[in-house]
Amino acid sequence: MFRFFVKQGRENRSVLSGRCGDAKKRLQPRRPPHRLREDEIIPHEGIPIVTPVRAILDAHAAGLGPALIGQAIADGQRLGVLTRTQAAQLTAGTAGAR
């Protein structure tokens, strides 16, 4: 499944989604499952993307396994995109929820 988000004013809209390789299924416009707050969006090379914290929380909510969530948190810390506090909060917030 893939999805593209486009910032339109104060709103973020998901404009395309579908399955890779599924040529028969037409791409349908979709709305994101929740509204993103302004502090959950950061620019990367001029393109607005979600913060690492938001991405990890969304992956957890989508059912990604605890081992991969833990790996994402560890990688985020190692790469310097998550602080120790953020990593601890994510670890506490995602532990045992599945």
Side-chain angles (χ1 to χ4, degrees), residues 1-8 11-20 27-33 36 47-50:
M1 181 69 72
F2 58 92
R3 183 176 291 165
F4 298 93
F5 287 94
V6 176
K7 187 163 179 93
Q8 296 177 340
E11 230 176 280
N12 296 298
R13 293 185 186 261
S14 176
V15 290
L16 298 174
S17 68
R19 295 192 184 283
C20 292
L27 298 175
Q28 299 294 322
R30 289 187 144 178
R31 295 190 67 76
L36 296 172
I47 299 170
I49 62 170
V50 296

Side-chain angles (χ1 to χ4, degrees), residues 56-57 60 69-70 73-74 77 84-97:
I56 292 170
L57 290 172
H60 179 261
I69 295 295
I73 294 169
Q77 259 195 299
R84 286 184 185 166
T85 303
Q86 288 172 323
Q89 288 172 340
L90 283 168
T91 300
T94 60

Side-chain angles (χ1 to χ4, degrees), residues 25-57:
K25 185 176 181 179
R26 294 195 58 121
L27 298 175
Q28 299 294 322
R30 289 187 144 178
R31 295 190 67 76
H34 54 78
R35 295 217 181 251
L36 296 172
R37 296 187 324 254
E38 206 166 298
D39 65 338
E40 294 176 322
I41 303 168
I42 56 174
H44 177 72
E45 296 181 6
I47 299 170
I49 62 170
V50 296
T51 62
V53 171
R54 178 78 265 157
I56 292 170
L57 290 172

